[in-house]
Amino acid sequence: MTPAPRPAQAPDLLAGFRLANGFTASGVACGLKASGALDLALVVADRPCTGAGVFTNNLVKAAPVLYDQSVLAKNPSGIRAVVANSGCANAVTGEQGQRNARRMAELTANAFKSSTDSVLVLSTGVIGKQLEMMKLERGIPEVCARASADGAPLAARAILTTDTRAKAAGASVALGAGHANIQGFAKGSGMIHPWMATMLAVITTDAAVAPDLLRHALLRAVGKSFNRLSVDGDMSTNDTVLLLASGATSAKVDHSNLDRFIEGLTGVCVSLTKQIARDGEGASKLIEINVVGAQDEANAHRTADAIACSPLVKTAIHGNDPNWGRILAAAGYSGAVFDPERVALWFGDGPTAVQLVARGQPIPFDARAASDLLRKDPVHIRLELGPGTGQATVWTCDLSAAYIQINADYTT
Protein backbone atom coordinates (compact mmCIF):
# COMPACT_ATOMS: atom_id res chain seq x y z
CA MET A 1 0.00 0.00 0.00
CA THR A 2 1.52 3.33 -1.06
CA PRO A 3 1.51 5.99 1.69
CA ALA A 4 -0.41 9.17 0.98
CA PRO A 5 1.76 12.12 -0.08
CA ARG A 6 2.62 14.47 2.76
CA PRO A 7 2.62 18.25 2.40
CA ALA A 8 5.89 19.83 1.39
CA GLN A 9 8.06 20.54 4.42
CA ALA A 10 7.19 23.93 5.84
CA PRO A 11 9.93 26.48 6.54
CA ASP A 12 11.87 25.53 9.66
CA LEU A 13 9.86 27.13 12.45
CA LEU A 14 12.63 26.25 14.90
CA ALA A 15 15.32 28.32 13.22
CA GLY A 16 16.34 30.80 15.93
CA PHE A 17 13.39 29.73 18.10
CA ARG A 18 13.70 30.67 21.76
CA LEU A 19 11.35 30.62 24.69
CA ALA A 20 10.25 33.77 26.50
CA ASN A 21 12.69 35.67 28.70
CA GLY A 22 13.55 33.84 31.89
CA PHE A 23 13.44 30.36 30.33
CA THR A 24 16.05 27.98 28.97
CA ALA A 25 15.62 24.53 27.48
CA SER A 26 17.34 21.42 26.20
CA GLY A 27 16.74 18.01 24.65
CA VAL A 28 18.77 14.80 24.65
CA ALA A 29 18.52 11.15 23.63
CA CYS A 30 18.52 8.94 26.71
CA GLY A 31 17.57 5.70 24.97
CA LEU A 32 13.81 5.52 25.44
CA LYS A 33 13.42 5.50 21.66
CA ALA A 34 15.02 2.52 19.93
CA SER A 35 15.85 4.79 16.99
CA GLY A 36 18.26 6.81 19.10
CA ALA A 37 16.28 10.00 18.41
CA LEU A 38 15.87 12.77 20.97
CA ASP A 39 13.46 11.59 23.65
CA LEU A 40 13.93 13.74 26.76
CA ALA A 41 13.14 17.45 26.96
CA LEU A 42 13.47 20.16 29.57
CA VAL A 43 12.15 23.69 30.03
CA VAL A 44 13.51 25.49 33.08
CA ALA A 45 12.95 28.95 34.52
CA ASP A 46 15.56 31.05 36.24
CA ARG A 47 13.08 31.87 39.00
CA PRO A 48 9.81 30.47 40.41
CA CYS A 49 6.99 30.95 37.89
CA THR A 50 3.26 30.95 37.97
CA GLY A 51 1.86 27.97 36.11
CA ALA A 52 -1.43 26.77 34.70
CA GLY A 53 -2.48 23.63 32.88
CA VAL A 54 -5.35 22.16 30.91
CA PHE A 55 -5.57 18.39 30.74
CA THR A 56 -7.37 15.56 29.01
CA ASN A 57 -10.94 14.81 30.08
CA ASN A 58 -10.34 11.13 29.46
CA LEU A 59 -11.31 9.14 32.56
CA VAL A 60 -8.16 7.07 32.02
CA LYS A 61 -5.49 9.65 32.84
CA ALA A 62 -1.75 9.02 32.58
CA ALA A 63 0.39 9.27 35.73
CA PRO A 64 2.00 12.59 34.66
CA VAL A 65 -1.45 14.16 34.18
CA LEU A 66 -2.51 13.22 37.70
CA TYR A 67 0.84 14.36 39.08
CA ASP A 68 0.72 17.76 37.32
CA GLN A 69 -2.85 18.40 38.41
CA SER A 70 -1.78 17.80 42.01
CA VAL A 71 1.28 20.07 41.73
CA LEU A 72 -0.62 22.97 40.15
CA ALA A 73 -3.36 22.70 42.76
CA LYS A 74 -0.76 23.02 45.56
CA ASN A 75 1.95 25.22 44.10
CA PRO A 76 0.75 27.35 41.16
CA SER A 77 3.20 30.16 41.99
CA GLY A 78 6.35 28.12 42.46
CA ILE A 79 6.97 26.23 39.20
CA ARG A 80 10.61 25.96 38.10
CA ALA A 81 10.70 23.36 35.34
CA VAL A 82 8.94 20.97 32.97
CA VAL A 83 10.57 17.63 32.15
CA ALA A 84 9.11 15.59 29.31
CA ASN A 85 9.83 12.23 27.73
CA SER A 86 8.66 10.61 24.52
CA GLY A 87 8.72 6.91 23.74
CA CYS A 88 6.51 5.89 26.68
CA ALA A 89 3.20 7.41 27.83
CA ASN A 90 3.42 6.20 31.45
CA ALA A 91 -0.34 5.62 31.22
CA VAL A 92 -2.25 2.70 32.76
CA THR A 93 0.84 1.93 34.84
CA GLY A 94 -0.66 1.94 38.33
CA GLU A 95 1.16 2.99 41.47
CA GLN A 96 4.55 2.28 39.92
CA GLY A 97 3.78 4.74 37.14
CA GLN A 98 2.86 7.38 39.69
CA ARG A 99 6.11 6.79 41.57
CA ASN A 100 8.04 7.06 38.30
CA ALA A 101 6.40 10.38 37.39
CA ARG A 102 7.31 11.76 40.79
CA ARG A 103 10.86 10.40 40.46
CA MET A 104 11.26 12.27 37.16
CA ALA A 105 10.26 15.46 38.97
CA GLU A 106 12.57 14.69 41.88
CA LEU A 107 15.60 14.13 39.63
CA THR A 108 14.92 17.40 37.84
CA ALA A 109 14.38 19.32 41.07
CA ASN A 110 17.66 17.99 42.49
CA ALA A 111 19.58 19.39 39.52
CA PHE A 112 18.30 22.90 40.28
CA LYS A 113 18.22 22.58 44.08
CA SER A 114 14.47 23.03 44.01
CA SER A 115 11.53 21.17 45.51
CA THR A 116 9.89 18.22 43.80
CA ASP A 117 6.55 20.03 43.66
CA SER A 118 8.13 22.79 41.57
CA VAL A 119 8.54 20.46 38.57
CA LEU A 120 5.87 19.41 36.08
CA VAL A 121 6.13 16.17 34.10
CA LEU A 122 4.97 15.21 30.60
CA SER A 123 5.09 11.82 28.88
CA THR A 124 3.99 10.61 25.44
CA GLY A 125 4.21 7.31 23.60
CA VAL A 126 2.79 3.81 23.97
CA ILE A 127 0.19 3.22 26.68
CA GLY A 128 0.63 0.44 29.25
CA LYS A 129 4.43 0.30 29.47
CA GLN A 130 6.49 1.26 32.49
CA LEU A 131 9.16 3.91 32.03
CA GLU A 132 12.73 2.65 31.81
CA MET A 133 13.85 4.55 34.85
CA MET A 134 17.52 3.59 34.66
CA LYS A 135 17.73 5.51 31.38
CA LEU A 136 15.94 8.49 32.92
CA GLU A 137 18.18 8.38 36.01
CA ARG A 138 21.09 9.02 33.64
CA GLY A 139 19.29 11.23 31.14
CA ILE A 140 17.63 13.77 33.42
CA PRO A 141 20.86 15.09 34.98
CA GLU A 142 22.29 15.36 31.45
CA VAL A 143 19.33 17.26 30.01
CA CYS A 144 19.39 19.60 33.02
CA ALA A 145 23.12 20.28 32.61
CA ARG A 146 22.61 21.24 28.95
CA ALA A 147 19.85 23.83 29.43
CA SER A 148 20.51 26.99 27.42
CA ALA A 149 18.73 29.86 25.72
CA ASP A 150 19.33 28.12 22.37
CA GLY A 151 18.02 24.74 23.52
CA ALA A 152 14.32 25.20 22.73
CA PRO A 153 14.53 23.57 19.25
CA LEU A 154 16.02 20.44 20.83
CA ALA A 155 13.24 20.33 23.44
CA ALA A 156 10.59 20.75 20.74
CA ARG A 157 12.02 17.83 18.77
CA ALA A 158 12.50 15.59 21.82
CA ILE A 159 8.77 15.31 22.53
CA LEU A 160 7.81 14.10 19.03
CA THR A 161 6.35 10.64 18.37
CA THR A 162 4.71 10.02 14.98
CA ASP A 163 5.02 13.71 14.10
CA THR A 164 6.92 14.50 10.91
CA ARG A 165 7.95 17.93 12.19
CA ALA A 166 8.16 20.02 15.33
CA LYS A 167 5.61 22.74 16.02
CA ALA A 168 6.50 26.17 17.41
CA ALA A 169 4.87 29.59 17.56
CA GLY A 170 5.30 32.95 19.22
CA ALA A 171 3.88 36.45 19.61
CA SER A 172 4.66 39.77 21.25
CA VAL A 173 1.83 41.62 22.99
CA ALA A 174 1.88 45.26 24.11
CA LEU A 175 0.77 45.49 27.73
CA GLY A 176 0.88 49.02 29.06
CA ALA A 177 4.48 49.96 29.80
CA GLY A 178 5.99 46.80 28.35
CA HIS A 179 5.67 43.94 25.89
CA ALA A 180 4.96 40.34 26.79
CA ASN A 181 6.59 37.61 24.74
CA ILE A 182 4.60 34.40 24.36
CA GLN A 183 6.59 31.47 22.95
CA GLY A 184 5.65 27.82 22.87
CA PHE A 185 6.04 24.46 21.21
CA ALA A 186 3.83 21.40 20.84
CA LYS A 187 3.64 17.86 19.58
CA GLY A 188 0.73 15.94 18.13
CA SER A 189 -0.11 13.92 15.06
CA GLY A 190 -2.61 11.21 15.99
CA MET A 191 -5.00 10.17 18.78
CA ILE A 192 -6.26 13.73 18.86
CA HIS A 193 -9.74 14.92 19.67
CA PRO A 194 -11.30 17.39 22.15
CA TRP A 195 -11.76 17.85 24.92
CA MET A 196 -8.08 18.46 24.87
CA ALA A 197 -6.80 17.09 21.78
CA THR A 198 -1.98 12.47 21.82
CA MET A 199 -0.85 16.16 22.13
CA LEU A 200 1.41 18.10 24.47
CA ALA A 201 2.21 21.81 24.54
CA VAL A 202 4.50 23.97 26.66
CA ILE A 203 3.93 27.71 26.37
CA THR A 204 6.01 30.37 28.12
CA THR A 205 5.54 34.08 28.71
CA ASP A 206 7.79 36.63 30.37
CA ALA A 207 4.84 38.67 31.65
CA ALA A 208 3.97 38.69 35.33
CA VAL A 209 0.58 37.00 35.72
CA ALA A 210 -1.22 35.93 38.88
CA PRO A 211 -2.21 32.24 38.98
CA ASP A 212 -5.97 32.84 38.71
CA LEU A 213 -5.57 35.16 35.70
CA LEU A 214 -3.09 32.78 34.06
CA ARG A 215 -5.49 29.85 34.35
CA HIS A 216 -8.38 31.97 33.07
CA ALA A 217 -6.32 33.07 30.08
CA LEU A 218 -5.26 29.51 29.26
CA LEU A 219 -8.80 28.17 29.45
CA ARG A 220 -10.02 30.91 27.13
CA ALA A 221 -7.22 30.33 24.63
CA VAL A 222 -7.55 26.54 24.65
CA GLY A 223 -11.30 26.87 24.09
CA LYS A 224 -10.63 28.63 20.79
CA SER A 225 -7.76 26.44 19.65
CA PHE A 226 -6.74 23.02 20.97
CA ASN A 227 -10.32 22.20 21.92
CA ARG A 228 -11.29 22.81 18.31
CA LEU A 229 -8.83 20.31 16.91
CA SER A 230 -9.51 16.77 15.76
CA VAL A 231 -7.32 14.42 13.74
CA ASP A 232 -8.99 11.06 14.23
CA GLY A 233 -11.68 11.41 16.91
CA ASP A 234 -9.64 9.58 19.58
CA MET A 235 -9.02 11.36 22.88
CA SER A 236 -5.65 10.65 24.48
CA THR A 237 -4.83 9.72 28.06
CA ASN A 238 -1.95 12.22 28.22
CA ASP A 239 -3.12 15.49 26.61
CA THR A 240 -1.64 18.47 28.42
CA VAL A 241 -1.14 22.17 27.73
CA LEU A 242 1.08 23.99 30.22
CA LEU A 243 1.51 27.77 30.45
CA LEU A 244 4.32 29.25 32.54
CA ALA A 245 4.78 32.96 33.34
CA SER A 246 8.23 34.09 34.51
CA GLY A 247 7.62 37.79 35.12
CA ALA A 248 11.09 38.45 33.69
CA THR A 249 10.03 41.70 31.97
CA SER A 250 8.16 44.82 33.02
CA ALA A 251 4.93 43.60 31.41
CA LYS A 252 2.23 42.75 33.88
CA VAL A 253 -1.16 41.22 33.14
CA ASP A 254 -4.10 42.53 35.13
CA HIS A 255 -7.82 42.92 34.50
CA SER A 256 -7.23 46.04 32.40
CA ASN A 257 -5.18 44.24 29.75
CA LEU A 258 -6.20 40.62 30.27
CA ASP A 259 -8.20 40.44 27.03
CA ARG A 260 -5.19 41.71 25.06
CA PHE A 261 -2.98 39.04 26.61
CA ILE A 262 -5.59 36.36 25.88
CA GLU A 263 -5.75 37.49 22.26
CA GLY A 264 -2.00 37.05 21.87
CA LEU A 265 -2.02 33.71 23.68
CA THR A 266 -4.92 32.48 21.56
CA GLY A 267 -3.02 33.40 18.41
CA VAL A 268 -0.06 31.26 19.52
CA CYS A 269 -2.37 28.36 20.42
CA VAL A 270 -4.25 28.58 17.10
CA SER A 271 -0.96 28.49 15.20
CA LEU A 272 0.11 25.36 17.08
CA THR A 273 -3.34 23.84 16.54
CA LYS A 274 -3.12 24.31 12.78
CA GLN A 275 0.38 22.86 12.70
CA ILE A 276 -0.81 19.75 14.55
CA ALA A 277 -3.80 19.28 12.24
CA ARG A 278 -1.68 19.73 9.12
CA ASP A 279 0.74 17.10 10.44
CA GLY A 280 -2.00 14.58 11.25
CA GLU A 281 -1.00 10.97 10.81
CA GLY A 282 -1.13 10.10 7.12
CA ALA A 283 -2.59 13.50 6.25
CA SER A 284 -1.86 15.51 3.13
CA LYS A 285 -3.75 18.71 3.94
CA LEU A 286 -5.19 20.89 6.67
CA ILE A 287 -8.98 21.36 6.70
CA GLU A 288 -10.59 24.45 8.22
CA ILE A 289 -14.32 24.17 8.89
CA ASN A 290 -16.15 27.41 9.57
CA VAL A 291 -19.77 27.19 10.74
CA VAL A 292 -21.74 30.45 10.90
CA GLY A 293 -25.34 31.51 11.43
CA ALA A 294 -25.94 29.08 14.30
CA GLN A 295 -28.21 29.76 17.27
CA ASP A 296 -25.12 30.19 19.44
CA GLU A 297 -21.44 29.32 19.56
CA ALA A 298 -22.07 25.93 21.20
CA ASN A 299 -24.32 24.81 18.32
CA ALA A 300 -21.80 26.06 15.77
CA HIS A 301 -18.97 24.19 17.51
CA ARG A 302 -21.03 21.00 17.78
CA THR A 303 -21.78 21.10 14.07
CA ALA A 304 -18.22 21.81 12.98
CA ASP A 305 -16.90 19.10 15.29
CA ALA A 306 -19.21 16.46 13.79
CA ILE A 307 -18.05 17.37 10.28
CA ALA A 308 -14.40 17.26 11.34
CA CYS A 309 -14.84 13.79 12.85
CA SER A 310 -16.66 12.22 9.91
CA PRO A 311 -14.49 9.58 8.19
CA LEU A 312 -16.67 9.96 5.10
CA VAL A 313 -16.04 13.70 4.91
CA LYS A 314 -12.32 13.30 5.56
CA THR A 315 -11.84 10.54 2.97
CA ALA A 316 -13.83 12.47 0.35
CA ILE A 317 -11.59 15.48 0.86
CA HIS A 318 -8.52 13.26 0.64
CA GLY A 319 -9.78 12.12 -2.77
CA ASN A 320 -10.75 15.69 -3.81
CA ASP A 321 -14.35 14.48 -4.21
CA PRO A 322 -16.91 17.31 -3.76
CA ASN A 323 -19.38 14.92 -2.12
CA TRP A 324 -21.13 17.68 -0.18
CA GLY A 325 -23.94 15.42 1.05
CA ARG A 326 -21.61 13.89 3.61
CA ILE A 327 -21.10 17.32 5.19
CA LEU A 328 -24.81 17.99 5.54
CA ALA A 329 -25.38 14.49 6.92
CA ALA A 330 -22.73 15.08 9.61
CA ALA A 331 -24.27 18.44 10.50
CA GLY A 332 -27.65 16.76 10.78
CA TYR A 333 -26.57 14.13 13.28
CA SER A 334 -24.37 16.51 15.29
CA GLY A 335 -27.15 17.29 17.76
CA ALA A 336 -27.06 21.00 16.89
CA VAL A 337 -30.37 22.81 16.49
CA PHE A 338 -30.91 24.40 13.05
CA ASP A 339 -33.41 24.53 10.20
CA PRO A 340 -32.23 22.31 7.31
CA GLU A 341 -34.22 24.48 4.88
CA ARG A 342 -31.92 27.45 5.57
CA VAL A 343 -28.57 25.74 5.14
CA ALA A 344 -25.96 27.02 2.67
CA LEU A 345 -22.58 25.47 1.89
CA TRP A 346 -19.37 26.63 0.17
CA PHE A 347 -16.00 25.10 -0.62
CA GLY A 348 -13.08 27.51 -0.69
CA ASP A 349 -12.50 30.97 0.68
CA GLY A 350 -12.92 34.45 -0.75
CA PRO A 351 -13.96 35.25 -4.32
CA THR A 352 -12.95 31.83 -5.68
CA ALA A 353 -15.29 29.95 -3.32
CA VAL A 354 -17.82 27.60 -4.92
CA GLN A 355 -21.33 27.42 -3.48
CA LEU A 356 -22.92 23.97 -3.54
CA VAL A 357 -26.08 24.36 -1.43
CA ALA A 358 -28.51 27.26 -0.94
CA ARG A 359 -31.61 27.31 1.26
CA GLY A 360 -31.19 23.63 2.01
CA GLN A 361 -31.15 22.53 -1.65
CA PRO A 362 -28.33 21.67 -4.07
CA ILE A 363 -27.56 24.23 -6.74
CA PRO A 364 -25.66 23.80 -10.03
CA PHE A 365 -21.91 24.15 -9.52
CA ASP A 366 -18.67 23.53 -11.38
CA ALA A 367 -17.60 20.12 -10.09
CA ARG A 368 -14.06 20.48 -11.45
CA ALA A 369 -13.62 23.84 -9.73
CA ALA A 370 -14.98 22.42 -6.49
CA SER A 371 -12.61 19.44 -6.73
CA ASP A 372 -9.68 21.77 -7.37
CA LEU A 373 -10.51 23.67 -4.18
CA LEU A 374 -10.29 20.39 -2.25
CA ARG A 375 -6.76 19.89 -3.59
CA LYS A 376 -5.57 23.03 -1.84
CA ASP A 377 -3.87 23.21 1.53
CA PRO A 378 -5.67 24.35 3.55
CA VAL A 379 -9.12 23.24 2.42
CA HIS A 380 -11.84 25.69 3.49
CA ILE A 381 -15.41 24.59 4.20
CA ARG A 382 -18.03 27.19 5.12
CA LEU A 383 -21.45 26.07 6.34
CA GLU A 384 -24.19 28.59 7.08
CA LEU A 385 -26.95 27.25 9.31
CA GLY A 386 -29.29 30.22 9.37
CA PRO A 387 -29.60 33.82 10.57
CA GLY A 388 -28.08 33.30 14.01
CA THR A 389 -24.93 34.93 15.38
CA GLY A 390 -23.19 31.77 16.59
CA GLN A 391 -20.01 30.77 14.78
CA ALA A 392 -17.06 28.46 15.34
CA THR A 393 -13.98 27.25 13.49
CA VAL A 394 -12.61 23.72 13.84
CA TRP A 395 -9.40 22.33 12.34
CA THR A 396 -8.83 18.79 11.13
CA CYS A 397 -7.09 16.96 8.27
CA ASP A 398 -7.90 14.46 5.56
CA LEU A 399 -7.93 10.71 6.21
CA SER A 400 -5.79 8.47 4.05
CA ALA A 401 -4.69 4.85 3.79
CA ALA A 402 -1.41 5.92 5.39
CA TYR A 403 -3.26 6.59 8.67
CA ILE A 404 -4.20 2.90 8.79
CA GLN A 405 -0.62 1.88 7.97
CA ILE A 406 0.74 3.99 10.83
CA ASN A 407 -1.75 2.75 13.43
CA ALA A 408 -2.39 -0.87 12.44
CA ASP A 409 0.95 -2.08 13.83
CA TYR A 410 1.99 0.80 16.09
CA THR A 411 3.26 -1.49 18.89
CA THR A 412 4.46 -4.44 16.78
Side-chain angles (χ1 to χ4, degrees):
M1 197 180 293
T2 303
R6 302 303 301 266
Q9 179 68 48
D12 186 3
L13 297 173
L14 298 183
F17 175 69
R18 290 189 172 198
L19 298 176
N21 294 306
F23 296 95
T24 54
S26 56
V28 301
C30 73
L32 295 178
K33 288 180 178 176
S35 65
L38 296 173
D39 53 20
L40 184 60
L42 175 78
V43 170
V44 62
D46 62 8
R47 70 199 72 193
C49 298
T50 53
V54 179
F55 304 91
T56 181
N57 280 342
N58 198 317
L59 187 62
V60 180
K61 291 178 171 60
V65 170
L66 297 172
Y67 174 80
D68 289 352
Q69 289 177 321
S70 174
V71 167
L72 288 172
K74 293 184 298 185
N75 191 33
S77 298
I79 304 303
R80 281 294 310 278
V82 178
V83 62
N85 75 272
S86 55
C88 177
N90 193 10
V92 196
T93 48
E95 291 184 5
Q96 184 61 49
Q98 294 177 39
R99 287 193 292 270
N100 289 343
R102 182 171 181 81
R103 181 57 178 160
M104 287 180 65
E106 184 179 52
L107 289 165
T108 306
N110 290 345
F112 299 106
K113 296 180 172 55
S114 185
S115 61
T116 301
D117 64 359
S118 71
V119 179
L120 299 170
V121 179
L122 302 174
S123 295
T124 182
V126 177
I127 294 170
K129 293 185 177 182
Q130 294 289 350
L131 284 165
E132 297 179 79
M133 291 305 297
M134 288 184 62
K135 295 177 178 178
L136 289 166
E137 293 274 353
R138 296 191 299 267
I140 290 177
E142 179 185 359
V143 79
C144 291
R146 295 191 178 194
S148 72
D150 297 320
L154 295 174
R157 293 187 179 103
I159 62 171
L160 304 183
T161 50
T162 57
D163 309 62
T164 68
R165 66 195 69 172
K167 292 90 178 169
S172 178
V173 183
L175 295 175
H179 281 76
N181 294 299
I182 304 171
Q183 302 287 133
F185 60 89
K187 65 85 55 179
S189 189
M191 203 178 189
I192 290 176
H193 184 68
W195 293 96
M196 279 299 304
T198 292
M199 65 148 287
L200 303 175
V202 179
I203 304 169
T204 61
T205 180
D206 45 28
V209 194
D212 58 336
L213 293 183
L214 195 71
R215 176 164 173 74
H216 174 78
L218 184 59
L219 288 170
R220 287 268 302 273
V222 166
K224 297 287 187 179
S225 56
F226 297 117
N227 273 345
R228 295 190 175 182
L229 165 65
S230 184
V231 167
D232 49 20
D234 272 301
M235 180 193 293
S236 168
T237 56
N238 290 59
D239 300 333
T240 303
V241 177
L242 298 177
L243 174 60
L244 305 181
S246 69
T249 65
S250 60
K252 181 177 181 180
V253 176
D254 55 30
H255 289 285
S256 69
N257 57 23
L258 178 61
D259 286 344
R260 202 173 313 128
F261 178 76
I262 291 172
E263 182 180 0
L265 177 62
T266 301
V268 171
C269 292
V270 167
S271 176
L272 293 172
T273 295
K274 290 181 178 181
Q275 292 174 53
I276 290 171
R278 180 173 273 112
D279 195 33
E281 289 175 345
S284 63
K285 57 193 117 177
L286 169 68
I287 303 169
E288 183 171 293
I289 302 163
N290 186 226
V291 174
V292 300
Q295 279 190 353
D296 51 33
E297 184 179 2
N299 274 279
H301 187 186
R302 189 176 295 116
T303 305
D305 202 39
I307 296 167
C309 291
S310 167
L312 290 178
V313 171
K314 290 156 70 72
T315 50
I317 293 175
H318 178 70
N320 311 311
D321 180 8
N323 192 346
W324 56 266
R326 295 179 176 182
I327 294 173
L328 264 63
Y333 65 61
S334 68
V337 177
F338 64 93
D339 181 357
E341 299 300 318
R342 306 193 74 159
V343 168
L345 175 66
W346 292 261
F347 287 167
D349 191 36
T352 61
V354 171
Q355 186 169 8
L356 305 96
V357 177
R359 296 184 180 181
Q361 296 296 313
I363 60 175
F365 67 91
D366 185 334
R368 181 180 294 275
S371 179
D372 287 344
L373 288 170
L374 298 183
R375 298 177 193 276
K376 294 183 178 295
D377 181 15
V379 171
H380 291 276
I381 297 172
R382 177 181 170 87
L383 180 66
E384 184 177 298
L385 297 182
T389 59
Q391 59 181 336
T393 301
V394 165
W395 294 276
T396 186
C397 58
D398 57 332
L399 184 61
S400 72
Y403 177 85
I404 298 172
Q405 286 182 286
I406 292 168
N407 286 284
D409 58 358
Y410 187 73
T411 65
T412 56

